[in-house]
Amino acid sequence: MHSVDPATEQMIRSVLAYAEERLRLDPVPLDGGPRDPAELGAALQGMLNDRGNDPDQVLGVYAATLAPAVISADSPRYLGFIPAAPTKAALLFDMLVSCASIQGISWLEAAGAIQAENQVLRLIADRAGLPATAGGCFVSGGSAGNLSALVVAREVAKRNAGPAAAGRRWRAAVGTDAHSSIISTLRILEMDALTVRTDDHQLTGDALRAAIEADGDPSSVAAVVATSGTTNAGIIDDLAGVAAVAKTRNLWFHVDGAYGGAGLFAPSVRRAYDGIENADSFIVDPHKWLFAPFDCAALIYRDPSLARSVHKQDASYLDVIHDDPAEWNPADYAYHLTRRARGLPLWFSLAVHGIAAYADAIEAAIGLARQAAAEIRSRDYLELIREPDLSVVLFRRRGWSGEEYTRWADQLLSDQVAFMPPSAWEGETVARFAFLHPHTPMDLVRRILDRMA
Ligand SMILES: *Cc1c(COP(=O)(O)O)cnc(C)c1O
């Protein structure tokens, strides 16, 4: 039975056929490369007009001109920044979430979706060793998660300090390699960073203690942010040491695992996360290394009631969603209100594939990083900068200037071999592999390294 008109029917067929074709690409081609804004502009000329256009024609413009002007983050050749590798199951279910128009604010509107999302949050919390009472919600990304968590940290510090501390400017202790979103969060919150100098870029308990002891105003430090997998180098901070200092100093302990938190599922590296069970808040981006589509970040609090006391929005028209304290409203745990049920695609995919398949896929990228490091060590024109802890590998081509790295990377992209922009390490331009896609072949890695000879 069809309840839509023939034109809509045709549009459903066309768009789904296109989506099916994209879903069936395996491997996904890299695409992308430099585009001329004037050329893209010309292709869109007149598209937004009063009368509208034939859907097939609009789709044609997208398919022919716009889609190829995007570098596919889910290509196994995408080895820059942090790649993506959403499962087909998760991509399919993401479409379903959109088609079902699920309003993920409240239990009242979306109990079914929230139950499933919370099952995934529980799984992650269990892997981290957080208590049974831990909980939170899915937000759009790590940046949104860090911001939402640190608002709670600051408000809790304010409350604990009482009226005597009114107007005080609060600070958070951070390592030198904390993600840029932490710095921008502190700016938004009108907080300052107590930047802890570290050996080898790893924030340790000792370094944190020394920094606080040397500081002139330690009582203004409300929180410490540790990273479980730095974005540039994959370094996991000394979570147990930092947790111990946080406990004695009564600091909120936030762990940013946006990229590396997924390693909690990988037995070969799990021990490096010991101490994470003490986190007051923790984030991990399933849209990075847990094979979910954009945009999906998990935000979990040890004591969700603290988060609710900060984030719950009060408005007369919202009272109805807060009738029953036993009902879980994701809107109460971050700075958002309306939200996609963006945890559902991950739930579907986990339920379909099983948790072991996730562990294997994460281990695959860790294995690629170890093999790539060995390849680099075996070539005398290359130098490994540090042993990879996770799936990022930093290395240098002896004798190269920044321009030579850029030329090499541009050529890799224009030849559609790989997307691998250079990075920087201690002020020097260097090369960087970010592995994540479980199907990136080692042959490709060797080919990329050969091109640096
Ligand atoms: C990617 C990343 C973020 C930011 O996450 P978005 O999802 O891009 O907002 C924060 N912290 C770390 C460590 C990251 O790798």
Side-chain angles (χ1 to χ4, degrees):
M1 192 191 81
H2 296 288
S3 51
V4 295
D5 60 78
T8 306
E9 180 61 35
Q10 173 59 32
M11 182 169 64
I12 292 173
R13 281 168 202 268
S14 299
V15 174
L16 286 183
Y18 180 85
E20 280 187 32
E21 203 178 302
R22 178 64 172 74
L23 277 166
R24 291 204 175 94
L25 293 176
D26 194 12
V28 171
L30 197 53
D31 290 326
R35 299 287 156 163
D36 177 8
E39 183 198 321
L40 289 177
L44 298 190
Q45 193 68 43
M47 291 293 290
L48 304 186
N49 54 43
D50 281 337
R51 61 189 147 65
N53 304 280
D54 177 68
D56 283 329
Q57 187 209 334
V58 182
L59 181 63
V61 170
Y62 174 76
T65 312
L66 303 183
V70 171
I71 303 177
S72 303
D74 55 347
S75 167
R77 296 176 182 277
Y78 188 110
L79 303 168
F81 307 132
I82 300 287
T87 63
K88 306 292 182 196
L91 289 172
L92 280 162
F93 218 73
D94 202 56
M95 288 172 53
L96 192 152
V97 168
S98 288
C99 293
S101 292
I102 298 169
Q103 168 56 287
I105 290 183
S106 68
W107 187 261
L108 174 68
E109 294 155 282
I114 294 163
Q115 186 71 32
E117 290 190 302
N118 285 356
Q119 189 177 27
V120 179
L121 293 175
R122 187 66 253 153
L123 173 72
I124 296 169
D126 281 342
R127 290 293 157 139
L130 287 164
T133 45
C137 63
F138 286 94
V139 294
S140 63
S143 307
N146 284 333
L147 175 58
S148 296
L150 289 177
V151 176
V152 180
R154 189 198 60 190
E155 291 304 299
V156 167
K158 257 198 222 169
R159 264 181 227 164
N160 290 343
R168 165 184 278 175
R169 194 158 163 114
W170 293 96
R171 293 189 296 164
V174 299
T176 47
D177 292 44
H179 189 260
S180 49
S181 64
I182 298 293
I183 306 311
S184 106
T185 282
L186 297 181
R187 196 180 315 119
I188 293 167
L189 296 179
E190 299 205 37
M191 291 172 74
D192 295 311
L194 168 59
T195 305
V196 181
R197 302 281 147 209
T198 55
D199 304 327
D200 192 32
H201 305 258
Q202 189 203 33
L203 178 64
T204 61
D206 288 342
L208 175 63
R209 190 178 303 106
I212 292 174
E213 279 167 8
D215 189 69
D217 185 18
S219 61
S220 68
V221 182
V224 55
V225 178
T227 309
S228 65
T230 59
T231 316
N232 198 28
I235 299 165
I236 301 169
D237 287 339
D238 164 26
L239 302 178
V242 171
V245 178
K247 193 172 165 99
T248 23
R249 292 277 173 176
N250 200 22
L251 307 178
W252 183 276
F253 177 34
H254 176 66
V255 179
D256 177 359
Y259 150 62
L264 285 170
F265 288 83
S268 76
V269 295
R270 174 61 183 86
R271 283 207 55 189
Y273 295 80
D274 287 354
I276 200 168
E277 67 279 5
N278 299 301
D280 291 301
S281 51
F282 167 59
I283 63 150
V284 54
D285 275 358
H287 69 211
K288 287 179 173 168
W289 209 3
L290 285 172
F291 314 108
F294 303 125
D295 45 6
C296 180
L299 163 62
I300 301 176
Y301 302 91
R302 162 177 299 279
D303 179 354
S305 71
L306 289 174
R308 190 169 54 239
S309 72
V310 172
H311 285 298
K312 188 178 139 223
Q313 297 190 23
D314 288 312
S316 48
Y317 52 86
L318 288 177
D319 285 349
V320 61
I321 74 171
H322 292 120
D323 276 352
D324 182 346
E327 296 180 348
W328 196 269
N329 297 311
D332 294 347
Y333 301 97
Y335 67 79
H336 55 200
L337 192 56
T338 294
R339 60 179 288 280
R340 261 171 88 64
R342 53 169 68 82
L344 266 184
L346 174 59
W347 171 82
F348 180 76
S349 181
L350 274 165
V352 166
H353 292 293
I355 301 162
Y358 276 71
D360 291 348
I362 295 162
E363 291 285 6
I366 294 171
L368 278 167
R370 289 177 185 152
Q371 288 180 63
E375 281 287 338
I376 290 161
R377 261 190 263 100
S378 74
R379 293 163 193 248
D380 55 14
Y381 57 93
L382 299 178
E383 189 182 351
L384 188 65
I385 291 175
R386 64 194 312 289
E387 284 301 325
D389 293 325
L390 289 174
S391 68
V392 178
V393 186
L394 287 171
F395 62 104
R396 61 173 65 87
R397 164 65 168 84
R398 294 182 205 274
W400 268 12
S401 68
E403 279 152 41
E404 285 164 297
Y405 284 100
T406 304
R407 213 175 310 130
W408 160 80
D410 288 349
Q411 197 62 48
L412 280 177
L413 180 59
S414 66
D415 295 346
Q416 294 285 292
V417 171
F419 176 62
M420 198 175 153
S423 184
W425 182 253
E426 299 179 347
E428 172 198 0
T429 304
V430 298
R432 173 178 174 274
F433 282 113
F435 295 110
L436 190 153
H437 202 297
H439 299 149
T440 297
M442 250 329 272
D443 270 359
L444 173 65
V445 173
R446 285 186 210 103
R447 218 174 123 203
I448 291 167
L449 298 177
D450 288 346
R451 291 172 66 131
M452 301 176 98

mmCIF file of all heavy atoms in Angstrom, residues 141-143 146 179 181 227 231 256 258-259 285 287-288, ligand 1:
data_model
loop_
_atom_site.group_PDB
_atom_site.id
_atom_site.type_symbol
_atom_site.label_atom_id
_atom_site.label_comp_id
_atom_site.label_asym_id
_atom_site.label_seq_id
_atom_site.Cartn_x
_atom_site.Cartn_y
_atom_site.Cartn_z
ATOM 1 N N GLY A 141 29.480 15.311 19.575
ATOM 2 C CA GLY A 141 30.901 15.062 19.367
ATOM 3 C C GLY A 141 31.672 15.225 20.661
ATOM 4 O O GLY A 141 31.106 15.608 21.705
ATOM 5 N N GLY A 142 32.951 14.971 20.578
ATOM 6 C CA GLY A 142 33.801 15.075 21.752
ATOM 7 C C GLY A 142 33.821 16.489 22.306
ATOM 8 O O GLY A 142 33.883 16.689 23.528
ATOM 9 N N SER A 143 33.786 17.461 21.431
ATOM 10 C CA SER A 143 33.819 18.854 21.896
ATOM 11 C C SER A 143 32.594 19.151 22.754
ATOM 12 O O SER A 143 32.711 19.773 23.822
ATOM 13 C CB SER A 143 33.850 19.813 20.698
ATOM 14 O OG SER A 143 34.902 19.478 19.826
ATOM 15 N N ASN A 146 33.039 17.285 26.100
ATOM 16 C CA ASN A 146 33.992 17.933 27.010
ATOM 17 C C ASN A 146 33.374 19.176 27.640
ATOM 18 O O ASN A 146 33.513 19.421 28.843
ATOM 19 C CB ASN A 146 35.273 18.309 26.251
ATOM 20 C CG ASN A 146 36.163 17.099 25.974
ATOM 21 O OD1 ASN A 146 36.144 16.111 26.714
ATOM 22 N ND2 ASN A 146 36.930 17.158 24.894
ATOM 23 N N HIS A 179 43.426 18.017 23.996
ATOM 24 C CA HIS A 179 42.833 18.376 22.709
ATOM 25 C C HIS A 179 42.443 19.853 22.662
ATOM 26 O O HIS A 179 42.087 20.447 23.693
ATOM 27 C CB HIS A 179 41.577 17.517 22.487
ATOM 28 C CG HIS A 179 41.004 17.630 21.117
ATOM 29 N ND1 HIS A 179 39.919 18.426 20.837
ATOM 30 C CD2 HIS A 179 41.379 17.069 19.957
ATOM 31 C CE1 HIS A 179 39.644 18.325 19.545
ATOM 32 N NE2 HIS A 179 40.507 17.508 18.986
ATOM 33 N N SER A 181 39.832 21.174 21.813
ATOM 34 C CA SER A 181 38.474 21.448 22.292
ATOM 35 C C SER A 181 38.460 21.722 23.796
ATOM 36 O O SER A 181 37.550 22.391 24.300
ATOM 37 C CB SER A 181 37.537 20.276 21.968
ATOM 38 O OG SER A 181 37.939 19.109 22.653
ATOM 39 N N THR A 227 43.786 12.703 29.136
ATOM 40 C CA THR A 227 43.417 12.243 27.800
ATOM 41 C C THR A 227 43.743 10.756 27.688
ATOM 42 O O THR A 227 44.866 10.348 28.008
ATOM 43 C CB THR A 227 44.196 13.041 26.740
ATOM 44 O OG1 THR A 227 44.045 14.440 27.018
ATOM 45 C CG2 THR A 227 43.672 12.757 25.348
ATOM 46 N N THR A 231 45.222 12.914 20.427
ATOM 47 C CA THR A 231 44.834 12.851 19.024
ATOM 48 C C THR A 231 46.064 12.779 18.124
ATOM 49 O O THR A 231 46.076 12.049 17.146
ATOM 50 C CB THR A 231 43.995 14.101 18.689
ATOM 51 O OG1 THR A 231 43.072 14.288 19.762
ATOM 52 C CG2 THR A 231 43.235 13.923 17.404
ATOM 53 N N ASP A 256 39.153 12.547 28.714
ATOM 54 C CA ASP A 256 38.791 12.762 27.312
ATOM 55 C C ASP A 256 39.322 11.578 26.494
ATOM 56 O O ASP A 256 40.503 11.508 26.172
ATOM 57 C CB ASP A 256 39.421 14.083 26.836
ATOM 58 C CG ASP A 256 39.161 14.352 25.357
ATOM 59 O OD1 ASP A 256 38.507 13.514 24.697
ATOM 60 O OD2 ASP A 256 39.613 15.411 24.860
ATOM 61 N N ALA A 258 37.924 10.808 23.480
ATOM 62 C CA ALA A 258 37.168 10.970 22.226
ATOM 63 C C ALA A 258 37.714 10.030 21.153
ATOM 64 O O ALA A 258 36.969 9.268 20.538
ATOM 65 C CB ALA A 258 37.225 12.419 21.756
ATOM 66 N N TYR A 259 39.021 10.085 20.947
ATOM 67 C CA TYR A 259 39.624 9.158 19.984
ATOM 68 C C TYR A 259 39.940 7.811 20.642
ATOM 69 O O TYR A 259 39.488 6.753 20.208
ATOM 70 C CB TYR A 259 40.881 9.791 19.363
ATOM 71 C CG TYR A 259 41.948 8.786 18.962
ATOM 72 C CD1 TYR A 259 41.680 7.815 17.994
ATOM 73 C CD2 TYR A 259 43.204 8.792 19.567
ATOM 74 C CE1 TYR A 259 42.650 6.864 17.655
ATOM 75 C CE2 TYR A 259 44.164 7.859 19.225
ATOM 76 C CZ TYR A 259 43.887 6.899 18.273
ATOM 77 O OH TYR A 259 44.834 5.974 17.957
ATOM 78 N N ASP A 285 34.160 9.042 21.489
ATOM 79 C CA ASP A 285 33.434 9.304 20.245
ATOM 80 C C ASP A 285 33.231 8.005 19.469
ATOM 81 O O ASP A 285 34.154 7.551 18.784
ATOM 82 C CB ASP A 285 34.253 10.235 19.324
ATOM 83 C CG ASP A 285 34.070 11.710 19.615
ATOM 84 O OD1 ASP A 285 33.274 12.065 20.508
ATOM 85 O OD2 ASP A 285 34.719 12.517 18.916
ATOM 86 N N HIS A 287 31.815 7.911 16.792
ATOM 87 C CA HIS A 287 31.999 8.257 15.371
ATOM 88 C C HIS A 287 33.480 8.247 14.981
ATOM 89 O O HIS A 287 33.806 8.393 13.812
ATOM 90 C CB HIS A 287 31.305 9.570 14.983
ATOM 91 C CG HIS A 287 31.882 10.835 15.558
ATOM 92 N ND1 HIS A 287 31.097 11.935 15.828
ATOM 93 C CD2 HIS A 287 33.133 11.204 15.901
ATOM 94 C CE1 HIS A 287 31.860 12.902 16.316
ATOM 95 N NE2 HIS A 287 33.095 12.482 16.366
ATOM 96 N N LYS A 288 34.347 8.071 15.947
ATOM 97 C CA LYS A 288 35.754 7.848 15.617
ATOM 98 C C LYS A 288 35.980 6.336 15.587
ATOM 99 O O LYS A 288 35.748 5.702 14.583
ATOM 100 C CB LYS A 288 36.660 8.571 16.610
ATOM 101 C CG LYS A 288 36.645 10.095 16.371
ATOM 102 C CD LYS A 288 37.505 10.851 17.345
ATOM 103 C CE LYS A 288 37.593 12.325 16.956
ATOM 104 N NZ LYS A 288 38.196 13.125 18.034
HETATM 105 C C1 LIG B 1 38.456 14.380 18.217
HETATM 106 C C2 LIG B 1 38.766 14.726 19.606
HETATM 107 C C3 LIG B 1 37.969 15.637 20.308
HETATM 108 C C4 LIG B 1 36.878 16.422 19.646
HETATM 109 O O1 LIG B 1 35.847 15.562 19.241
HETATM 110 P P1 LIG B 1 34.788 16.029 18.139
HETATM 111 O O2 LIG B 1 33.926 14.811 18.042
HETATM 112 O O3 LIG B 1 35.579 16.292 16.906
HETATM 113 O O4 LIG B 1 34.098 17.230 18.657
HETATM 114 C C5 LIG B 1 38.256 15.876 21.639
HETATM 115 N N1 LIG B 1 39.257 15.230 22.240
HETATM 116 C C6 LIG B 1 40.049 14.339 21.604
HETATM 117 C C7 LIG B 1 41.143 13.664 22.350
HETATM 118 C C8 LIG B 1 39.825 14.058 20.254
HETATM 119 O O5 LIG B 1 40.594 13.188 19.616
#
